Amino acid sequence: MNIFKQLIVSLYSPKDIARFQHQGIGKTIFYVFLLVLISVLPSVYYFNTSMINGFETSNETVEKDFPSFTIENGELNSDETAPMTINKGNLTFIFDSTGTITKQAVNGSDNTIAFLKNEWVYATAGQSQSMPYTLMGISTLTDENMIEILSAMESMLPVMIPLIDLIIYLLSSAMKFIEVSVLAFFGLMLQRMVDKTMQYRHLWRLSAYAVTLPTIFFTIMEALKTIVPGGFLIHWFVAVIMLMLTLKELNTAKTSD
């Protein structure tokens, strides 16, 4: 069966999934890589778009809207006595040399770049990345220097973005293989409930297809920027149910390559 047809039937048909138990392990591994590729497309798209827009807007904001500042001994210093919040399109910039705003306060933000007292924070879609100023390797940094650094980094985006995308894909692939392996382990217990006996390698193949439905569902939710409460538990619940239903179909299923 064509791998794309396998993906479609794996969304709704445990009986078809059961037929894949004896197919070549190479095809199953390739299927997992394909599933991961589809699942990371929304996050990679939003990340790339926000990074490109972020550097362009950051350069302009630091140059025109931020007050004069210096970063010395890992601390942001300026004459401002209160935090500043600047909205530029879908980006929000926070400048706080007073130490009032913490990283935790920024973490839940969306499309926010914050220059805090001791670190730089970027938050999007409920996730954040931070970098203490001490890791920049520069003892003293002024606003003029920052503009130069941002311009230099922006020019490196054609190299940085594909590299970061590759890292995201590889990490996501590793996590998906771990997920499939853990689900297959649960399958060793589930098969007793449905009075079946299978080797782990066959359960691993079935698990690779059983995770299709929750993976595609949450990919769509991510593309729509919709947060699903209890998403982790829902993901695993659906995957376990799909695997159990697949195990129940094993008696009547014919194998397929």
Side-chain angles (χ1 to χ4, degrees), residues 14-22 206 253-257:
K15 185 174 182 179
D16 282 300
I17 294 176
R19 295 172 178 167
F20 306 147
Q21 60 176 308
H22 294 299
L206 296 180
K254 297 180 180 180
T255 61
S256 173
D257 294 329

Side-chain angles (χ1 to χ4, degrees), residues 44-63:
V44 165
Y45 170 77
Y46 288 127
F47 176 81
N48 292 351
T49 302
S50 63
M51 177 173 279
I52 293 171
N53 294 337
F55 272 105
E56 292 177 352
T57 311
S58 295
N59 204 335
E60 178 184 347
T61 303
V62 172
E63 182 177 4

